[in-house]
Amino acid sequence: MDQYHRTKLPNGLRIVSERIPHVRSVAVGIWVAAGSRYEPAELAGVSHFMEHLLFKGTANRTSREISMAIESVGGQLNAFTAKEYTCFYAKVLDEHFPLALEILADMLRNSRLAPRDIANERGVVLEEIKMYEDTPDDLVHVLFTSSLWPQHALGRPVIGFTETITQLTPAQVRSYYERFYAPSGTIVAVAGNVTPAQVEEEVYRWFGDWQGETVSTPLTPPQAVRQNTCRWKQTEQVHIAVGGPGVPLGDKDLYVLSVLSNLLGGGSSSRLFQEIREERGLAYSIYTFTSSYRDCGLFGVYVGTSPDKVEQVLAVLRDQFQLLLTAGLEPGELERNKEQLKGSLMLSLESTSSRMLRLGKTELLLNRIYSPDDIVRFVDAVEEEQLLELAHRLLNPESLNLAIVGPLEELPAW
């Protein structure tokens, strides 16, 4: 763990960094424990809306000046909102690390949150919601999650809804910012050619006098609901998501699930890809997906297919699940999938951005760092018995939800 450095400023802000001396870049991310999970229903989408607003200008810079400051040195500046956090990040040459951190600090601490900016950005986000409505392969994931956890904030889309964004007021935006944007709920994660001493010095320079406390939100895990749902939409394909509850972050089965997901639909050699696309020609796109949160998770399969092939695809899915549960693994199948996962991990670590993202997320949600060697060890430790036990828990067709978006008048048999 010597390559990682973790510290905390007196105001509660945490710093985590990894020095990578053989690269010329630095990726820096500001992670805030503000995501759609913490929103009341009437403010659905406010976390994502806040992410947009922080790019609209500060007391020191206009929106254009923020972008130009990073782009003029060849850097990249962006952000994303998830269900349990928001991340603002930049990637620059190592010599411009101080500039990147200054810009991010200015955005986070000095944003105007002006009524005019809120009004303008409201229109942008409403167009983004329409874009999702016009993207059925994204929409089916929203439908699947909302059907699995219909009474919980984790079941709502991060982007929110037209009605909640339309009614969002400047006072509500300011109140949400003051509640969640504080040093005690924030992490600065850095990976690249910069020393821990440099990181700590610059973070203290720009964040050392930041004051405030994040208002904690009690967490309750969602209760999964067994239901199938279909949303009619005039599309060429029917978009299908099948799945159910998965495993939370930090769970002993997290990497067992990674291997299971990879085996079923993690690539072109996976079982479902081979059977549904290569052997039967029923789909172009098919893959498994997982999401893990602090206290819960989900697992599923996505398929896009023609309306007249939906029932055949669903039958093949059921058969493939049953085949795994009854016949187990083929010789060498477990080791092949573990090697594939380890290879993907190591290749991703060639990017300073990927390293920063891994550092920030694990520090924020798990309060610790897992090294690549740790993860390789976890993957290597997965045994066939564990995988099949988890498969029996997750793949019982009688407990799986079905979500469909496409030109179907009613749900097919499942």
Side-chain angles (χ1 to χ4, degrees):
M1 297 291 287
D2 289 343
Q3 77 248 49
Y4 305 117
H5 183 76
R6 301 169 74 208
T7 189
K8 182 188 288 189
L9 298 187
N11 60 8
L13 183 141
R14 285 182 280 167
I15 307 168
V16 56
S17 64
E18 177 183 11
R19 187 184 185 194
I20 313 170
H22 61 272
V23 301
R24 282 297 316 277
S25 68
V26 174
V28 53
I30 314 297
W31 295 73
V32 183
S36 60
R37 174 171 198 168
Y38 308 110
E39 302 166 351
E42 64 272 16
L43 296 182
V46 65
S47 300
H48 172 259
F49 194 80
M50 185 69 67
E51 174 214 315
H52 278 239
L53 282 178
L54 265 59
F55 284 85
K56 297 298 288 183
T58 73
N60 306 305
R61 294 176 174 89
T62 65
S63 175
R64 185 167 185 265
E65 287 170 340
I66 289 172
S67 299
M68 285 182 61
I70 297 296
E71 292 181 358
S72 64
V73 296
Q76 303 163 2
L77 178 68
N78 213 329
F80 61 89
T81 307
K83 304 216 172 185
E84 295 186 312
Y85 50 82
T86 304
C87 177
F88 302 85
Y89 63 95
K91 184 175 183 179
V92 293
L93 292 178
D94 48 17
E95 63 197 83
H96 300 302
F97 165 65
L99 171 66
L101 193 60
E102 179 195 351
I103 296 297
L104 289 168
D106 192 25
M107 291 170 56
L108 217 74
R109 299 187 57 190
N110 303 314
S111 280
R112 295 179 307 210
L113 304 181
R116 178 182 177 183
D117 294 335
I118 291 172
N120 287 342
E121 206 59 26
R122 190 193 316 276
V124 173
V125 174
L126 290 174
E127 291 301 320
E128 191 176 358
I129 291 174
K130 292 176 184 177
M131 183 182 72
Y132 274 90
E133 290 288 330
D134 287 341
T135 314
D137 50 336
D138 288 334
L139 188 58
V140 74
H141 285 83
V142 173
L143 187 65
F144 168 74
T145 308
S146 64
S147 70
L148 180 66
W149 296 324
Q151 305 301 323
H152 198 278
L154 283 173
R156 298 197 292 262
V158 171
I159 198 171
F161 305 100
T162 297
E163 55 270 25
T164 57
I165 298 302
T166 299
Q167 296 171 10
L168 201 57
T169 68
Q172 289 172 323
V173 169
R174 173 67 66 175
S175 175
Y176 189 81
Y177 173 84
E178 292 174 351
R179 178 175 181 178
F180 288 97
Y181 280 71
S184 59
T186 302
I187 289 170
V188 178
V190 181
N193 187 24
V194 60
T195 67
Q198 289 173 304
V199 171
E200 190 167 347
E201 177 183 357
E202 289 297 327
V203 172
Y204 187 82
R205 178 184 178 188
W206 297 109
F207 289 97
D209 62 346
W210 192 20
Q211 298 300 316
E213 287 287 335
T214 301
V215 179
S216 62
T217 303
L219 297 182
T220 55
Q223 298 298 311
V225 174
R226 170 74 172 94
Q227 62 177 330
N228 299 327
T229 183
C230 180
R231 179 166 175 179
W232 191 93
K233 198 169 187 63
Q234 185 58 61
T235 55
E236 293 297 321
Q237 281 191 312
V238 173
H239 301 268
I240 302 168
V242 172
V247 300
L249 285 171
D251 189 275
K252 64 180 179 62
D253 285 330
L254 185 64
Y255 292 96
V256 182
L257 176 60
S258 295
V259 178
L260 174 62
S261 177
N262 195 72
L263 181 151
L264 284 172
S268 58
S269 63
S270 63
R271 287 189 174 202
L272 295 178
F273 189 98
Q274 283 293 311
E275 186 65 25
I276 288 179
R277 173 170 160 164
E278 298 300 292
E279 294 296 325
R280 299 173 184 257
L282 297 175
Y284 174 78
S285 180
I286 174 166
Y287 57 83
T288 50
F289 58 89
T290 66
S291 294
S292 293
Y293 307 105
R294 294 178 188 266
D295 53 7
C296 63
L298 60 80
F299 164 82
V301 179
Y302 165 84
V303 190
T305 192
S306 298
D308 61 341
K309 297 176 181 176
V310 169
E311 292 192 1
Q312 190 178 354
V313 165
L314 293 177
V316 174
L317 285 177
R318 292 178 73 105
D319 290 346
Q320 286 297 307
F321 292 164
Q322 192 61 34
L323 179 64
L324 178 60
L325 298 182
T326 56
L329 303 183
E330 300 171 357
E333 191 173 21
L334 178 61
E335 292 305 317
R336 285 199 307 272
N337 280 277
K338 292 200 291 189
E339 289 301 316
Q340 184 178 344
L341 278 177
K342 292 188 294 183
S344 297
L345 167 68
M346 293 306 176
L347 289 174
S348 73
L349 294 180
E350 294 185 358
S351 161
T352 52
S353 297
S354 295
R355 287 177 179 252
M356 180 278 292
L357 293 171
R358 184 175 57 84
L359 288 178
K361 182 177 179 179
T362 56
E363 178 68 26
L364 183 68
L365 300 182
L366 298 175
N367 198 31
R368 64 159 300 166
I369 301 169
Y370 289 111
S371 71
D373 289 341
D374 290 332
I375 297 174
V376 166
R377 208 163 42 246
F378 296 148
V379 173
D380 278 334
V382 174
E383 297 179 354
E384 182 172 348
E385 181 180 353
Q386 293 174 296
L387 188 146
L388 293 177
E389 181 181 338
L390 184 63
H392 277 277
R393 201 170 90 211
L394 301 186
L395 298 181
N396 178 2
E398 303 308 316
S399 64
L400 296 175
N401 283 12
L402 169 66
I404 285 180
V405 172
L408 294 184
E409 298 295 339
E410 59 183 21
L411 277 163
W414 170 246

